[in-house]
Amino acid sequence: MPVVLYHFSPSPPSRVALTVAKALGIDVTVKIIDLFKNEHLQEEYLKINPEHTVPAMDDNGLILHDSHVIATYLVSRYGKDESLYPKDVKQRALVDQRLYFEATILLPRLRATTYPVFFLGKRNVDADARDAIYEALGNLEKYLEPTGWVAGDHATVADISCSVTVASLEAIGVDMSAYPKIRDWLKRCRSTFRGYEEANAEGEKLIGDGIKSLVGPKAYLR
Ligand SMILES: N[C@@H](CCC(=O)N[C@@H](CS)C(=O)NCC(=O)O)C(=O)O
């Protein structure tokens, strides 16, 4: 039975799981959970993920519902080699560190500005929430300095996790002009991971157009 991904394309973490699956060439069945129609709050989905977030994954009875865990599981289970999630303890610790950076800094800072707009009727972006995004990007720019990848000397799942969220920040109107290393890395991520555009093009457009239509195209500019 193919791996099932519960997915909603505007959601960056959901696209992280799909991007990893496509990069690995895994046969996945995608089931859409439309957050705008509250499908994530239906009884049936709550049985799969009581935390009602996307993505979730069902691999023949193993259910996981966090993009970082899904990403590292898929590489460990289906990767032809370990390069996307190295087994070396020190290399892996660095990859984990950047995955946690995405989980605890990048995504929450994006979400702090988009969730209230999409779901609570807010129609602006607070300056402090906007500045927190730029602070995180400043740190990411530094992480990219040594090798051009976020963890170690080659592309890993941490690059997928961070780049999908950063590309979404760009799509909603965050100004990337001060971050040349991020801009170069985003381009490399798009061309390095097989299926990246296929997994992300629609969702980037939906989140970008959606947010810009509700708060205006310049809401994230300083
Ligand atoms: N840490 C989780 C975060 C997932 C998450 O926050 N997903 C959002 C969409 S971007 C969601 O499903 N929100 C619906 C809800 O919280 O009810 C992950 O990386 O998978």
Side-chain angles (χ1 to χ4, degrees):
M1 290 271 284
V3 172
V4 177
L5 280 184
Y6 296 88
H7 176 67
F8 187 49
S9 73
S11 157
S14 199
R15 280 185 276 117
V16 168
L18 186 61
T19 306
V20 172
K22 286 193 183 297
L24 292 169
I26 301 171
D27 181 24
V28 287
T29 299
V30 173
K31 293 196 179 169
I32 305 295
I33 301 297
D34 190 330
L35 302 191
F36 296 144
K37 293 182 183 157
N38 281 335
E39 288 175 358
H40 59 310
L41 302 177
Q42 303 294 311
E43 190 77 27
E44 204 184 330
Y45 190 62
L46 291 175
K47 280 187 202 146
I48 293 157
N49 179 6
E51 289 171 24
H52 49 78
T53 53
V54 287
M57 182 214 78
D58 182 347
D59 186 3
N60 292 288
L62 174 69
I63 292 175
L64 299 173
H65 47 78
D66 176 89
S67 62
H68 314 85
V69 177
I70 294 169
T72 55
Y73 168 76
L74 289 177
V75 177
S76 305
R77 174 75 179 82
Y78 295 105
K80 287 186 185 65
D81 59 52
E82 59 173 76
S83 73
L84 285 179
Y85 192 47
K87 287 202 174 108
D88 174 87
V89 173
K90 288 185 175 173
Q91 287 181 38
R92 179 166 287 201
L94 262 185
V95 173
D96 288 338
Q97 182 164 76
R98 299 303 186 242
L99 289 172
Y100 291 129
F101 169 69
E102 200 283 337
T104 61
I105 306 283
L106 277 180
L107 181 66
R109 290 184 188 189
L110 174 143
R111 221 178 155 222
T113 65
T114 55
Y115 181 83
V117 173
F118 278 137
F119 296 101
L120 304 176
K122 194 172 164 94
R123 291 297 174 257
N124 71 299
V125 175
D126 293 335
D128 52 353
R130 179 200 63 199
D131 290 348
I133 290 173
Y134 286 101
E135 190 214 18
L137 291 174
N139 287 334
L140 178 60
E141 182 80 1
K142 286 185 204 136
Y143 298 151
L144 290 168
E145 253 166 39
T147 68
W149 298 108
V150 296
D153 62 1
H154 65 274
T156 66
V157 282
D159 292 286
I160 295 180
S161 179
C162 293
S163 69
V164 167
T165 298
V166 171
S168 301
L169 288 172
E170 188 172 38
I172 61 179
V174 171
D175 177 13
M176 295 290 167
S177 59
Y179 311 105
K181 290 194 183 350
I182 292 179
R183 293 201 311 275
D184 172 67
W185 162 78
L186 271 182
K187 270 193 224 139
R188 271 182 294 115
C189 287
R190 290 184 190 283
S191 61
T192 297
F193 299 108
R194 180 167 47 147
Y196 195 102
E197 289 305 321
E198 202 190 328
N200 287 284
E202 175 192 284
E204 279 176 24
K205 184 163 168 45
L206 285 172
I207 191 174
D209 291 354
I211 288 292
K212 283 175 176 166
S213 74
L214 294 170
V215 297
K218 295 188 176 167
Y220 285 87
L221 301 184
R222 286 180 288 188

